């Protein structure tokens, strides 16, 4: 039997995750017009693939998490389902991070060296985050008594060790944000035009929001009672998808403004 206070925590976490699905659906229709404008009828490349994975894998993760929240699974083995659900979460977040990498790469004048370094560091962060989290989680798990009756593994809770992988995520996102700020004042210090400010401020605003969500997830996972630990499980994916999509829309719009600006300076010269 679940203790009353623990039950309150689990129910609160479930409500937050179902609310995350509602926010995702609402935001999808809110941003459908810019998606059509800036992604549809464009050629397929790595940017569009990352966008599609980040935006639509979030729905797969939301449906699977909502099923875990709402379904009654007292006598089921939920291990395989939980692993599949976690995989959709990871894929969606990685795709969102890929869009942040592309924005940083574009702001750094498409530096191939920077891109290579960022990709290597991303692979290291993913490997260390997943590996160390799994290792520490195993250490924190209480040993199973072979003579004890089987227990249900469908509880909507996560290990304290999950905060480790989000710590690596925050560290990487802080690196991307720092690179944006550094390049703004190292290379674009003399450029105070509206376009440069819009590109920089938009990127910083969205990346700061993503970092904030990750930090909140770390605090909830590591500090609050364990029954609340899954409060930000789906919201983490939802906000990554929402904000990363806006990063792409902002980047496409900036490219369009730049092209328009270039045309406006070329055409008068041709007419003389």
């Amino acid at each position: 039997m679940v203790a009353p206070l623990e039950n309150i925590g689990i129910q609160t976490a479930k409500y937050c995750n179902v609310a995350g699905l509602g926010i995702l659906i609402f935001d999808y229709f809110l941003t459908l017009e810019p998606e059509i404008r800036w992604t549809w009828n464009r050629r397929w490349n790595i940017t569009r693939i990352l966008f599609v994975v980040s935006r639509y894998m979030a729905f797969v993760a939301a449906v699977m998490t909502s099923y875990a929240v709402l379904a009654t699974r007292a006598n089921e083995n939920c291990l395989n389902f939980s692993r599949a659900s976690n995989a959709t979460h990871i894929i969606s977040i990685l795709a969102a991070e890929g869009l942040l990498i592309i924005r940083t790469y574009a702001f750094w004048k498409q530096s191939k060296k920077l891109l290579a370094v960022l990709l290597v560091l991303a692979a290291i962060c993913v490997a260390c985050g997943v590996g160390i989290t799994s290792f520490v989680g195993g250490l924190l798990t209480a040993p199973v008594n072979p003579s004890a009756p089987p227990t249900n593994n469908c509880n909507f809770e996560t290990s304290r060790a999950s905060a480790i992988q989000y710590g690596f995520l925050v560290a990487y996102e802080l690196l991307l944000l720092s690179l944006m700020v550094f390049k703004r004042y190292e290379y674009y210090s003399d450029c105070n035009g509206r376009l440069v400010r819009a590109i920089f401020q938009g990127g910083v605003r969205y990346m700061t929001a993503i970092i904030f969500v990750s930090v909140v997830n770390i605090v909830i996972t590591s500090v609050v009672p364990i029954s609340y630990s899954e409060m930000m499980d789906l919201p983490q994916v939802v906000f990554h998808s929402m904000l990363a999509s806006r990063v792409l829309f902002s980047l496409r719009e900036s490219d369009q403004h730049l092209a328009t600006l270039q045309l406006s300076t070329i055409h008068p010269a041709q007419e003389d």
Side-chain angles (χ1 to χ4, degrees):
M1 182 176 180
V2 180
L5 290 179
E6 182 180 355
N7 187 57
I8 291 174
I10 293 175
Q11 290 302 318
T12 301
K14 289 182 176 182
Y15 293 149
C16 288
N17 280 268
V18 173
L21 174 59
I23 292 172
L24 182 64
I25 294 173
F26 175 77
D27 182 75
Y28 176 77
F29 289 103
L30 192 65
T31 56
L32 183 57
E33 188 273 332
E35 177 184 346
I36 295 173
R37 184 194 310 169
W38 300 120
T39 64
W40 291 18
N41 298 323
R42 288 176 176 256
R43 66 183 181 87
W44 283 93
N45 54 20
I46 187 62
T47 302
R48 187 176 179 184
I49 292 173
L50 289 174
F51 168 79
V52 170
V53 172
S54 171
R55 189 161 173 86
Y56 291 98
M57 185 63 75
F59 281 95
V60 178
V63 169
M64 297 185 72
T65 301
S66 298
Y67 174 78
V69 166
L70 300 174
T72 302
R73 303 179 294 168
N75 299 317
E76 293 184 29
N77 186 338
C78 300
L79 184 59
N80 291 333
F81 181 86
S82 297
R83 288 174 175 171
S85 179
N86 289 338
T88 62
H89 286 222
I90 293 173
I91 292 172
S92 180
I93 290 176
L94 289 179
E97 293 297 312
L99 292 176
L100 299 182
I101 292 174
I102 288 175
R103 184 178 185 105
T104 306
Y105 168 68
F107 200 70
W108 274 69
K109 297 292 184 179
Q110 300 183 351
S111 170
K112 302 293 185 181
K113 291 181 180 180
L114 176 70
L115 180 61
V117 171
L118 290 178
L119 292 177
V120 170
L121 289 177
I124 293 174
C125 286
V126 171
C128 291
V130 174
I132 296 176
T133 297
S134 178
F135 177 75
V136 175
L139 295 178
L140 296 177
T141 303
V144 179
N145 185 357
S147 61
T151 57
N152 181 18
N153 59 2
C154 296
N155 292 334
F156 198 65
E157 295 177 354
T158 190
S159 169
R160 299 283 190 193
S162 297
I164 297 174
Q165 59 190 2
Y166 293 119
F168 278 98
L169 184 62
V170 168
Y172 191 77
E173 290 166 348
L174 285 172
L175 172 64
L176 296 179
L177 180 60
S178 300
L179 288 170
M180 288 278 293
V181 174
F182 173 78
K183 198 63 174 179
R184 170 65 177 89
Y185 294 103
E186 186 266 343
Y187 186 85
Y188 298 99
S189 57
D190 296 330
C191 301
N192 294 315
R194 184 174 62 89
L195 181 59
V196 172
R197 289 200 306 271
I199 295 174
F200 173 72
Q201 293 174 359
V204 169
R205 183 168 60 248
Y206 294 136
M207 291 175 70
T208 301
I210 290 175
I211 292 170
F212 175 76
V213 172
S214 300
V215 170
V216 170
N217 204 346
I218 292 173
V219 173
I220 291 175
T221 304
S222 58
V223 176
V224 302
I226 194 67
S227 57
Y228 292 86
S229 59
E230 291 280 33
M231 275 183 60
M232 293 296 293
D233 183 39
L234 181 58
Q236 173 88 34
V237 177
V238 168
F239 285 113
H240 262 80
S241 175
M242 289 169 48
L243 296 170
S245 296
R246 282 165 169 78
V247 165
L248 177 63
F249 299 152
S250 175
L251 187 61
R252 296 290 198 200
E253 186 175 6
S254 300
D255 290 341
Q256 183 67 32
H257 286 166
L258 181 60
T260 302
L261 181 62
Q262 291 173 341
L263 286 175
S264 66
T265 59
I266 291 174
H267 287 327
Q270 292 177 339
E271 293 173 355
D272 289 342

